[in-house]
Amino acid sequence: MPEPDPQVVRAARGGDIGAFESLVRFYQAHVWRLCFHLLHDETLADDVTQEALVKAYRFLPTYRGESKFSTWLYSITRNCALDELRKAGRRHDLLTQLGRETVPSHRDHSVRIEVREAIAALPLELREAVVLIDMFGTSYSEAAAILGLPLGTVKSRVHRARLVLARWLLPASQGSAGEA
Amino acid sequence: MKPELDCRAASEDISSLLDGELDRARALAVRTHVEACPKCAEQSRTLDEARRAVRTQPVGEVPDVTAAVMRKVQGQRRQRGPLHGGVGGLLRVAGVAAAVAALLLASSSLIGTRRPPASARASEVTSGVRNAARMLDSYRARYEIVERGWHDAVPVRRFDAEVSFSAPESFRLTIRDNTSYPDPSRWPSNDVDLIVNARRSWIREPQVCPEASLPACWTGATEERTVVARRPFDGAAGLPSDLIVPLETLSTSDLFELLGREQMLGRSALHVALPHRQAVPLISALQQGGSWREFSPFDRVDLWLDSETLFPLRFDVRRGRSAAGQVLMSARATSFSQPQDFAPGTFRAPIAALQRSGGFEQDAKGSFDDARSPEFTAGLRPYRAGSTSAGGRILSYARGLTWLTMAVERSSQPPRGYPSTAEQVTLDGSGVAYYEPASADSRRRVDLYASRTHASLESNLPRAVLLRVASSLDLVGRPLPAGIERSGLRVTRLGATGLRGLAFAESPSHLPPGYRTTSSFLVENRRGHRTLSVYYRRAQAEYDGLGIRTTQSPSVRFLPPSFEDLQPVSVDGRAGRWSPERGEVEWMDRGVYRSVRAPSLGLRAAVQVARSLE
């Protein structure tokens, strides 16, 4: 997971607007992707990305360097995304709706599209674990810090997420996906 | 080897093993078990496969939000003022930062954000303008316009134009005519004012009389008109939104050509070329009222978009298809900005003596919990809701320049007539609907005729997204009756099978890019004379309202006489004729009358389609 130059973080904390801008440039793509995978709506992801980064600016003085900067920022991002889901009353709807979705079979679509759809169809708690660990490359302990969960819970969630994904993505008769 | 762990205990740790998250002793124990246990080895392979599939997901493009974030941050710091300074003295740019947010083409080095490709693709421009339109809250630009060939006695006219926009539907367009007329008292000054807000729209323009009769017909009068109780986005197709971001003009990437990146007015610009027929929303944005020269659908439009913000910097209309044709009109931006505030009264629409009511009564507190409201609104937010004087409901949703309206009315009878060009589409879970692309008068539309309810959606969202909105309605659209009687004629909507059943019917094997069959009708009169019309239309827009239509009839024995100025043409050796006025080629083919009408495509394309009938 990329980390910015600590000097840049310090300068931003000290009110250097240019330093903060370079942090925004450095992280915005990651923040947007995290938002997108949690919200599954590009437009909402645009909004929440901005909100999270603006919030990060506001709370920057409270960042004491006890965790990685990325962990701290993703934690803010995740909270903003969950707020958005709650605010719009979407969380329940989204999960119900995703639960109903059928994941297309391996034969019908290219694996890549299917993977994205399969991730989208995971329940939120499994999805956020697998997104952080497999897409963002965080360690289990970083994911635990971002998600505010015990390490063991993260470990079991990522495992369960992969079991579900494997069931959806891989042909039942064989063990390997045969990805092109 | 006997496994030291049982499968259950090992299984839970397989993912952690793959991720290198186990301590050395535990990793050894799990690995030993997996190697010895075929079931767990299989599971390990499967989990690894799933893990790799997720990890190797391609990273898509994401928008660059830096400018939008920094603008908000600056706002928090209460540091007002422009973020970007003047550019080259040619173009003043202030506060464009927010628009950069959504834009395709960020200029600085970013991690995985959209970056200016050496050769940006047309589809990227299309998605870029869609994003920009969504993200734009406010805009003001000034243009200098030069127009040639309006009137023999006035070869050149010059104008200043200013357009202001505050999301979602406040517009102001001011056009001031700076032309030196031969005798200013006898010629109308083409000053036009348009103000639109959520309640009203108002226009003031010179009372138009035919250009050919000028200056004799000019009475010196101006005219003002107001629409009160305006429906949400009423007349939106006529608003100058494409002057702000050419969302509609560039709605389909296969209809314009991206010529590359150039310097324009001191800014880096993307140069796009397209025929006037495709650029109608942009060009007509300036021609809201008053008198303007006309263009042919084939005249070439060159458009330069600011590569950072996708605002139009300049557009030229040239005579004919060539890049070397005479410039008939040129509009150049002299400044653009995104004001945080507008002067009080900017969007206040006067009430003129000449009034029309839109018949809309807005809810004091908009209720969007209506059971009939769409579940999916493509990220647009509830905006205005209310009732019509006819007892219907209108809900609207908006974001930036992007909008969606839904009108719902109770109707116990299926409609007596419906646009024959509408395409019947099957929605995912909401039955059948009727779709029409954007025209000069309306944006994309979907109509659903459910039990006792007619719902009509209109939006500047792309077709696929609008259909998704329609699919999310808690209504089941029913197909309209396949046959209706109208003025003694029986009109039957045909599907592919019905078409094949008609021995005289032929279909084109060649259509210009983007065109596909959208609807087919057989009209029979009381004497059994039959005429088949088939429409071919593009998905997003047909500004001439038609697209391509073939008409075939075994009941017409010879080409009907006409007083039009017709040109003889040959269709596969058969003598035919071309009507430039109607844009239609007609011929007789072994006792069957056939015609291809394509008003915006021209003779060559129409004849090509005609020759491909088989």
Side-chain angles (χ1 to χ4, degrees):
Chain A
M1 201 160 51
E3 286 303 311
D5 183 339
Q7 282 189 341
V8 176
V9 178
R10 267 199 300 277
R13 275 187 62 199
D16 179 339
I17 199 85
F20 182 72
E21 183 171 346
S22 66
L23 288 177
V24 171
R25 288 190 190 285
F26 192 80
Y27 274 112
Q28 56 171 335
H30 302 292
V31 169
W32 190 90
R33 282 194 201 102
L34 182 55
C35 290
F36 175 74
H37 286 297
L38 297 182
L39 298 164
H40 278 288
D41 182 317
E42 292 193 3
T43 310
L44 280 180
D46 291 352
D47 286 352
V48 176
T49 300
Q50 293 183 34
E51 191 189 324
L53 290 165
V54 171
K55 208 170 251 181
Y57 174 77
R58 202 178 325 141
F59 292 138
L60 202 53
T62 68
Y63 172 64
R64 310 214 179 280
E66 286 152 357
S67 64
K68 282 185 177 179
F69 183 77
S70 56
T71 305
W72 179 79
L73 180 60
Y74 293 163
S75 174
I76 291 177
T77 305
R78 177 195 179 242
N79 287 337
C80 288
L82 295 192
D83 279 351
E84 180 63 38
L85 289 173
R86 283 189 210 106
K87 213 163 37 190
R90 288 168 59 105
R91 191 172 181 182
H92 172 74
D93 296 348
L94 188 70
L95 294 180
T96 326
Q97 177 201 331
L98 290 174
R100 278 205 309 268
E101 266 175 31
T102 47
V103 175
S105 84
H106 188 220
R107 285 169 296 281
D108 297 340
H109 295 269
S110 78
V111 170
R112 290 219 158 110
I113 290 185
E114 199 179 278
V115 170
R116 210 169 49 199
E117 289 171 351
I119 293 168
L122 284 173
L124 181 66
E125 69 263 24
L126 299 189
R127 189 165 75 232
E128 58 186 8
V130 84
V131 162
L132 283 172
I133 287 161
D134 282 340
M135 299 186 110
F136 282 72
T138 64
S139 67
Y140 284 18
S141 58
E142 284 165 354
I146 293 165
L147 299 173
L149 293 171
L151 191 69
T153 308
V154 170
K155 183 175 150 180
S156 89
R157 284 187 182 178
V158 75
H159 181 65
R160 275 163 52 211
R162 286 178 188 159
L163 286 174
V164 175
L165 289 175
R167 205 166 57 233
W168 285 341
L169 295 173
L170 312 178
S173 57
Q174 61 183 89
S176 65
E179 185 184 347
Chain B
M1 190 195 299
K2 190 175 186 299
E4 291 179 6
L5 293 174
D6 64 26
C7 288
R8 188 192 156 106
S11 163
E12 286 182 357
D13 275 346
I14 291 176
S15 275
S16 306
L17 178 70
L18 294 170
D19 291 329
E21 291 271 353
L22 294 180
D23 63 40
R24 190 179 294 181
R26 182 75 182 172
L28 183 66
V30 175
R31 195 174 296 121
T32 307
H33 172 90
V34 168
E35 281 168 7
C37 170
K39 199 175 143 204
C40 288
E42 174 68 22
Q43 191 182 50
S44 174
R45 271 195 300 276
T46 306
L47 285 169
D48 192 30
E49 202 65 47
R51 177 177 172 273
R52 282 198 296 118
V54 177
R55 291 193 173 219
T56 56
Q57 268 292 286
V59 174
E61 288 176 340
V62 302
D64 180 3
V65 299
T66 313
V69 169
M70 294 315 292
R71 190 164 163 238
K72 288 179 183 163
V73 165
Q74 297 272 19
Q76 284 190 357
R77 286 163 60 100
R78 307 217 176 279
Q79 285 184 354
R80 301 289 292 266
L83 295 179
H84 291 229
V87 183
L90 290 167
L91 185 61
R92 294 194 308 282
V93 183
V96 291
V100 181
L103 301 181
L104 173 66
L105 305 161
S107 53
S108 46
S109 164
L110 307 169
I111 308 158
T113 48
R114 291 166 191 159
R115 199 180 301 231
S119 56
R121 288 198 307 271
S123 60
E124 294 172 59
V125 175
T126 295
S127 60
V129 292
R130 280 183 193 154
N131 278 335
R134 272 175 175 270
M135 304 290 262
L136 196 65
D137 293 329
S138 71
Y139 183 72
R140 180 162 58 213
R142 295 197 177 91
Y143 285 90
E144 280 174 5
I145 303 158
V146 178
E147 183 204 46
R148 290 191 170 79
W150 171 71
H151 194 280
D152 287 345
V154 188
V156 180
R157 293 197 301 173
R158 296 177 194 282
F159 304 92
D160 286 331
E162 179 170 328
V163 61
S164 303
F165 165 68
S166 175
E169 56 171 339
S170 295
F171 290 88
R172 181 179 183 130
L173 177 72
T174 308
I175 292 181
R176 290 293 169 263
D177 189 345
N178 303 322
T179 307
S180 304
Y181 288 99
D183 175 357
S185 64
R186 295 181 58 224
W187 290 86
S189 184
N190 206 33
D191 293 340
V192 179
D193 293 276
L194 170 77
I195 299 178
V196 179
N197 61 38
R199 292 166 178 276
R200 296 197 288 267
S201 68
W202 167 80
I203 189 165
R204 181 170 58 198
E205 57 177 337
Q207 217 168 48
V208 181
C209 65
E211 286 103 68
S213 310
L214 279 169
C217 66
W218 167 238
T219 61
T222 55
E223 190 174 300
E224 289 182 47
R225 298 184 304 276
T226 303
V227 175
V228 296
R230 182 174 170 265
R231 296 178 180 213
F233 301 97
D234 177 35
L239 294 178
S241 19
D242 269 44
L243 215 49
I244 298 160
V245 172
L247 174 66
E248 197 59 42
T249 300
L250 302 179
S251 63
T252 316
S253 58
D254 53 358
L255 295 170
F256 62 88
E257 198 183 349
L258 182 60
L259 298 174
R261 187 186 286 264
E262 295 169 15
Q263 283 296 111
M264 176 54 64
L265 306 174
R267 308 269 302 170
S268 165
L270 295 169
H271 182 184
V272 162
L274 64 170
H276 176 267
R277 68 187 179 90
Q278 182 62 24
V280 169
L282 175 68
I283 308 302
S284 65
L286 281 175
Q287 304 174 334
Q288 298 289 329
S291 169
W292 298 87
R293 67 152 297 144
E294 288 188 356
F295 302 106
S296 138
F298 318 110
D299 286 340
R300 174 188 166 111
V301 176
D302 283 282
L303 164 63
W304 287 267
L305 301 166
D306 183 65
S307 63
E308 205 175 312
T309 61
L310 300 186
F311 298 145
L313 290 177
R314 172 180 164 183
F315 48 94
D316 294 349
V317 187
R318 289 172 184 276
R319 190 189 300 282
R321 298 166 206 251
S322 155
Q326 184 202 2
V327 176
L328 304 175
M329 189 176 86
S330 179
R332 292 161 183 249
T334 53
S335 74
F336 60 86
S337 63
Q338 288 184 276
Q340 299 214 338
D341 301 300
F342 289 94
T346 303
F347 300 110
R348 195 174 299 139
I351 300 187
L354 212 54
Q355 271 181 35
R356 173 173 78 79
S357 170
F360 181 71
E361 192 176 332
Q362 189 167 326
D363 297 351
K365 190 174 179 302
S367 166
F368 285 83
D369 296 334
D370 196 305
R372 290 165 298 191
S373 59
E375 196 178 321
F376 170 73
T377 60
L380 309 190
R381 296 169 184 134
Y383 170 50
R384 289 207 283 148
S387 308
T388 65
S389 42
R393 288 280 298 159
I394 297 183
L395 306 177
S396 67
Y397 303 82
R399 189 171 167 146
L401 275 168
T402 313
W403 57 270
L404 164 73
T405 61
M406 172 161 132
V408 184
E409 58 186 17
R410 290 179 69 82
S411 64
S412 47
Q413 296 286 323
R416 285 174 51 76
Y418 44 84
S420 48
T421 47
E423 176 191 0
Q424 186 171 314
V425 287
T426 304
L427 298 173
D428 189 11
S430 294
V432 166
Y434 293 85
Y435 171 79
E436 286 190 274
S439 70
D441 305 320
S442 73
R443 289 295 169 247
R444 282 163 282 286
R445 278 186 59 156
V446 174
D447 285 280
L448 260 94
Y449 302 94
S451 169
R452 277 177 285 183
T453 303
H454 168 208
S456 186
L457 297 167
E458 185 182 346
S459 175
N460 56 1
L461 288 165
R463 177 183 193 268
V465 181
L466 181 58
L467 291 178
R468 224 181 119 195
V469 174
S471 299
S472 79
L473 291 173
D474 194 14
L475 289 172
V476 178
R478 297 171 171 181
L480 292 171
I484 53 168
E485 295 278 348
R486 201 192 281 167
S487 328
L489 299 172
R490 178 157 184 81
V491 184
T492 312
R493 185 182 273 270
L494 299 178
T497 320
L499 267 180
R500 277 195 295 274
L502 294 174
F504 67 90
E506 293 190 345
S507 301
S509 60
H510 163 85
L511 287 168
Y515 285 86
R516 67 223 155 75
T517 315
T518 52
S519 60
S520 311
F521 287 88
L522 183 67
V523 181
E524 289 168 281
N525 69 10
R526 290 201 182 95
R527 290 190 289 178
H529 290 179
R530 293 180 300 166
T531 303
L532 170 71
S533 297
V534 184
Y535 291 88
Y536 305 89
R537 313 186 83 195
R538 291 170 299 175
Q540 307 296 350
E542 287 298 353
Y543 299 120
D544 64 18
L546 185 82
I548 300 174
R549 187 190 66 198
T550 62
T551 305
Q552 302 174 70
S553 174
S555 314
V556 176
R557 297 289 168 207
F558 50 85
L559 293 182
S562 169
F563 293 105
E564 287 173 75
D565 184 14
L566 299 166
Q567 297 171 19
V569 291
S570 162
V571 180
D572 278 347
R574 296 187 167 83
R577 65 191 191 188
W578 163 251
S579 158
E581 204 173 306
R582 284 178 282 132
E584 186 164 26
V585 58
E586 302 167 283
W587 72 104
M588 293 302 301
D589 175 14
R590 290 160 292 176
V592 177
Y593 166 89
R594 302 194 203 276
S595 87
V596 173
R597 187 160 181 225
S600 299
L601 287 169
L603 171 62
R604 194 192 300 172
V607 169
Q608 238 178 349
V609 174
R611 285 188 179 140
S612 80
L613 285 182
E614 55 185 35

